Amino acid sequence: QLREVAREFLKKHCPSSVPRRVLEAGGTHDPALWAAMAGLGWTGAAIPEAYGGAGMGRLAVCVLAEEVGRALAPVPFSSSVYLATEALLLYGSEAQRRDLLPRLAEGSLIGTFALAEGPGPFEPSRLRARVEAGRLFGAKAAVPDGGAADFCITAVQAGGAEVSLYLVDLGAAGVSRRAITGIDPSRGHAALGFEGAAAESLPGAIGPGAIRALVDRAACMMAFEQLGIAQAALEMARDYALSRFAFGRPIGSFQAIKHKLADIYVAVELARSNAYWGAWALDTDAAELGLAAATARIAAGDAGWIATKENIQTHGGMGYTWQLDCHLYYRRARLLALTLGGSREWKRRLIAELRAGRAAA
């Protein structure tokens, strides 16, 4: 029922003209759509009722994420819900939760997570951001929704392999932002600079394992958003193949097109199965969460790649044009495939999880 309501809402309020408008105008997101989603309780789906949320749980977030992806909604849903909200639920103090979670739930506050300081996989020893006497110094590169967010949770070097998480008001003194144009401008990114900005520690986040747990949880939810994109691209390619005629017959009747669509379908269904496993591990806080997150993330990234790429190919020469929506799906799929780390990093993580499981057995 939640899926049906979400899909109908987004069909009405987020046709392809909405992300296209944000992309062409160079905005950070669609504030009206974000407010409407917040009014339906989506932004507070995982937040307990005691903190002003809907208390629907993380499985509800997974359902909503798939529809957000399907509609290419230009909103900071992943940054604010999968990452900032999740970080506060996992590691925030009671005072921080009572202050921020109700405002995140009502959509009046947007949060994000700032980790990367440059290209390459996350390594605690590579972090240069530091906190001295409650003041943050350093820089973060390509922060998702960094231009729209009101605050960020940022990873800070705490000595050796130790990492701490700090809460920073992005509107405060000592914070600078610079917009970055990525492959999908309908989802804004920004480089953040910190020169003595006030920073407040999240007391529950201790060590690099805290970062890993947060990213794993976000990866499970993001896999559903990627799944929604892949499914929509598959349906778009199928519909065009059935309606486009060549040599007196639908192009979907030709073997080459059939094989394309079959390959997309297999990739999407594999991604769906692995995303469901990730959702189960997330909801139950299973010991297999790390393995499930890596598997879901890799499968969803592969499905998004093949579905959006072959959707363009199925549309032929028209598929490359600005007027068609094919490139909107391709852009979003490629963007999300790099958010939270690229495919190579997640494959390394998958191998490490499998080796650890074998050693434990």
Side-chain angles (χ1 to χ4, degrees):
Q1 289 177 338
L2 179 62
R3 184 190 308 280
E4 291 172 1
V5 170
R7 186 168 300 181
E8 288 303 312
F9 168 81
L10 289 169
K11 277 183 181 179
K12 180 178 179 181
H13 295 278
C14 190
S16 63
S17 59
V18 174
R20 184 181 286 274
R21 183 174 67 245
V22 175
L23 184 152
E24 293 177 345
T28 58
H29 67 297
D30 188 304
L33 179 60
W34 179 248
M37 291 167 62
L40 292 174
W42 295 9
T43 52
I47 298 175
E49 293 182 31
Y51 298 111
M56 293 187 287
R58 294 177 178 88
L59 289 182
V61 174
C62 291
V63 171
L64 294 170
E66 185 174 351
E67 298 308 312
V68 167
R70 183 186 184 91
L72 300 176
V75 291
F77 195 74
S78 58
S79 302
S80 199
V81 177
Y82 315 162
L83 288 162
T85 296
E86 197 66 24
L88 288 167
L89 288 171
L90 287 174
Y91 307 127
S93 67
E94 185 64 19
Q96 290 168 339
R97 291 172 183 168
R98 293 202 174 277
D99 175 34
L100 298 173
L101 290 178
R103 289 188 283 166
L104 284 167
E106 68 183 15
S108 62
L109 208 60
I110 296 173
T112 189
F113 178 58
L115 175 61
E117 297 180 3
F122 166 68
E123 294 290 344
S125 60
R126 296 178 62 191
L127 289 177
R128 295 293 176 265
R130 68 190 192 282
V131 170
E132 298 175 359
R135 298 287 173 175
L136 175 62
F137 298 87
K140 295 293 180 178
V143 178
D145 300 299
D150 299 291
F151 73 91
C152 74
I153 307 294
T154 186
V156 174
Q157 171 65 250
E162 293 302 312
V163 179
S164 298
L165 293 180
Y166 280 82
L167 173 68
V168 182
D169 180 353
L170 295 182
V175 178
S176 62
R177 310 193 212 198
R178 177 174 56 85
I180 295 176
T181 302
I183 191 172
D184 182 8
S186 68
R187 287 292 306 277
H189 284 67
L192 302 181
F194 305 102
E195 290 295 333
E200 183 180 339
S201 173
L202 267 66
I206 301 174
I211 305 289
R212 188 75 264 168
L214 175 61
V215 171
D216 282 347
R217 289 167 178 270
C220 291
M221 292 180 265
M222 187 169 286
F224 278 89
E225 189 171 346
Q226 295 173 283
L227 175 62
I229 295 168
Q231 180 66 41
L234 169 59
E235 293 173 8
M236 188 178 180
R238 176 204 63 194
D239 293 346
Y240 184 78
L242 292 173
S243 62
R244 174 73 165 91
F245 277 68
F247 305 106
R249 54 194 285 197
I251 65 170
S253 66
F254 294 111
Q255 192 175 57
I257 299 298
K258 289 181 179 179
H259 285 182
K260 281 184 183 293
L261 297 179
D263 287 343
I264 300 173
Y265 177 80
V266 170
V268 170
E269 290 306 302
L270 179 62
R272 190 184 311 280
S273 176
N274 285 313
Y276 284 175
W277 184 33
W280 165 80
L282 175 65
D283 187 57
T284 60
D285 200 21
E288 299 96 332
L289 178 58
L291 180 61
T295 306
R297 175 71 175 163
I298 294 166
D302 288 348
W305 162 243
I306 187 174
T308 57
K309 173 175 67 77
E310 295 296 355
N311 180 36
I312 293 175
Q313 294 288 341
T314 301
H315 282 74
M318 293 177 61
Y320 288 88
T321 63
W322 185 267
Q323 288 74 21
L324 265 67
D325 292 337
C326 300
H327 68 97
L328 299 178
Y329 292 95
Y330 180 83
R331 288 169 182 270
R332 186 63 59 84
R334 298 311 297 153
L335 174 68
L336 294 185
L338 294 173
T339 306
L340 303 180
S343 176
R344 183 178 299 178
E345 184 177 348
W346 282 100
K347 287 176 181 177
R348 287 197 191 103
R349 177 72 196 286
L350 176 61
I351 292 169
E353 289 288 340
L354 290 171
R355 285 176 173 168
R358 181 179 296 178

